[in-house]
Every structure is written in C-alpha cells, then in structure tokens.
Amino acid sequence: VPQEQAFPGAASGGIPIVSTQPLVSCIVPVYNGERYLQEALDSVFGQTWRPLEVIVVDDGSTDGTPGILAGYPQTLQVLRQENAGPARARNQGINIATGEFIAFQDADDLWVPHKLSMQMERMLVRPDLELCLGHLQNFWEPELREAEERVKDLPVAQPQPAWGPPLMLARRSLFERIGGFDESLRVGEDTDWLFRAREAGVAWEMVPEVLLLRRRHGRNLTANWAAGHQGLAAMLKRSLDRRRKQGPE
C-alpha cells in the first residue's frame, strides 16, 4: 500500500515534500561491523528513492557497533538479538518491516545512490515482478592489495550479475509466499532462499547496471572459497531433495 511520508526536498530549500510512492524497507544485519557499518548505512540513507525505512538488526555485536548506531537519527530502527546468524537477523527485520517492498544491505558493502530507484522503476512497470536483482563490482581493501593485483584481469574484478541479499529488492508478498531465510543455516542461507524462490517459479529480473560495490576484506564471510563451494553444493542437494519429494509435475 503506498504510504505518505514527508522528507526534505533538495531542490526546495528544505521544504517538505510528500511522497505517495511505495515504502521500501531496508534491513541491515550486523555482527561486529564497526569498521565499515557507517559507510554502508550512509549508502542506504543516500538513496534517491523515498520513502525509505531502515532497520538494523544487531546480531549480538561485542564491538563498537552499538555506539555507531546510536549516532544515527530516530529514523533508524535498531533491533538487538543474541548472536544467531544473518538468517535470524534478516527474518527479524522482515517481521517488523512495514514496507510493501523489502531490500537488504550488508554491513560492509555500498549501494550506488540510484540502486533502489532503478529497481523500483522495474517493479512499478511490471506488477507481476516479484524479485529484482542487479550487477555488482568488487573492490578490495588495502590489506588485500596483493590479492587484488592477482585477479585484476579475471572476471571477479569486472562487473557481474549477482544474486546475494544486498542486490535483492523483493515484494513483501514473496516472503509471505515462500517464507523467510532458513535459520538453521549460518552460511548459505541466501543461496538456499534463492533456490526456493526459483522452485516456486518467482518472476524475477536482472538490472544490467552495477548497483552494489562489494567490499573484499579479511573478514568476509565468503572469503573462504572452499567453504563457499561446499556450501553451494549443500544448497544444490537440498534443492534436489525438495524437488524429489514433490515428485513429477
């Protein structure tokens, strides 16, 4: 349901403008993310799309994350939980979100300013569209400069289509249809969810532009490539098992 929300107009000297566009809820799970969290949140609040609801779920951080969150205005909603992993954190955010559309950001990545606007344009043009994705561009922190140099001519250093949560924009009704993220999974919960969406015949579209700058650093959950490949294999097996149980169509 479209919602009215007043926000400052850049071209109007701060005179409030009322938007009747659909509300997008952005959910940001974070665990000990003090190093990059502010940059990630700034890229969310810097979106050209309004109205926007921002929800951060602190997954039991023990570093300076709470202090960073305390420095943001009241428009940032913060929910805290004992450490349970990103799947639980995202589901908790979905439970309290009020938007018709749901997006996710990771605490160490950056959205380009028009990310949501470009995806919402597709959603509004296509009422049947349930999920919109886009391209990402990797970038490396200084401590990984040698790794960046080794892959500079490989596809990983080029813009590429991707399916992770920071690139997702979904209708809330899609989560009501297929459910949230599997909280029993600490890694691969996003891949599992996307397999389930595919199995459900979701209508999706890939925006051809780069919408996400994905930060590569020493603490990336996906930095362990061997574990990543094992996780993908496990998700494929889960998907095949579900389809076998369903039997022939």
Side-chain angles (χ1 to χ4, degrees), residues 159-218:
Q160 55 192 278
W163 294 264
L167 277 163
M168 288 169 47
L169 178 69
R171 295 187 190 271
R172 185 186 190 89
S173 57
L174 179 56
F175 291 96
E176 295 169 353
R177 182 157 76 91
I178 70 170
F181 297 90
D182 187 337
E183 297 180 9
S184 71
L185 300 172
R186 285 280 186 154
V187 177
E189 78 290 339
D190 51 347
T191 303
D192 174 75
W193 187 90
L194 286 163
F195 276 137
R196 284 159 44 210
R198 185 187 65 175
E199 293 161 20
V202 61
W204 65 279
E205 186 173 311
M206 178 72 69
V207 174
E209 284 83 5
V210 170
L211 305 182
L212 176 75
L213 304 179
R214 183 171 63 180
R215 190 190 307 266
R216 290 296 189 181
H217 57 88

Side-chain angles (χ1 to χ4, degrees), residues 30 54-58 66 69-70 72-80 96:
V30 58
V54 184
I55 301 168
V56 176
V57 183
D58 184 352
L69 296 175
Y72 278 85
Q74 294 296 319
T75 50
L76 173 65
Q77 299 183 59
V78 178
L79 181 65
R80 292 185 172 86
I96 67 170

Side-chain angles (χ1 to χ4, degrees), residues 123-134:
M123 289 289 197
L124 296 177
V125 167
R126 288 187 55 189
D128 66 308
L129 191 62
E130 298 176 277
L131 177 66
C132 191
L133 301 161

Side-chain angles (χ1 to χ4, degrees), residues 55-96:
I55 301 168
V56 176
V57 183
D58 184 352
D59 187 28
S61 294
T62 57
D63 65 352
T65 291
I68 292 172
L69 296 175
Y72 278 85
Q74 294 296 319
T75 50
L76 173 65
Q77 299 183 59
V78 178
L79 181 65
R80 292 185 172 86
Q81 65 178 29
E82 293 185 5
N83 182 253
R88 171 78 62 84
R90 293 192 187 102
N91 288 343
Q92 292 280 62
I94 294 170
N95 288 339
I96 67 170

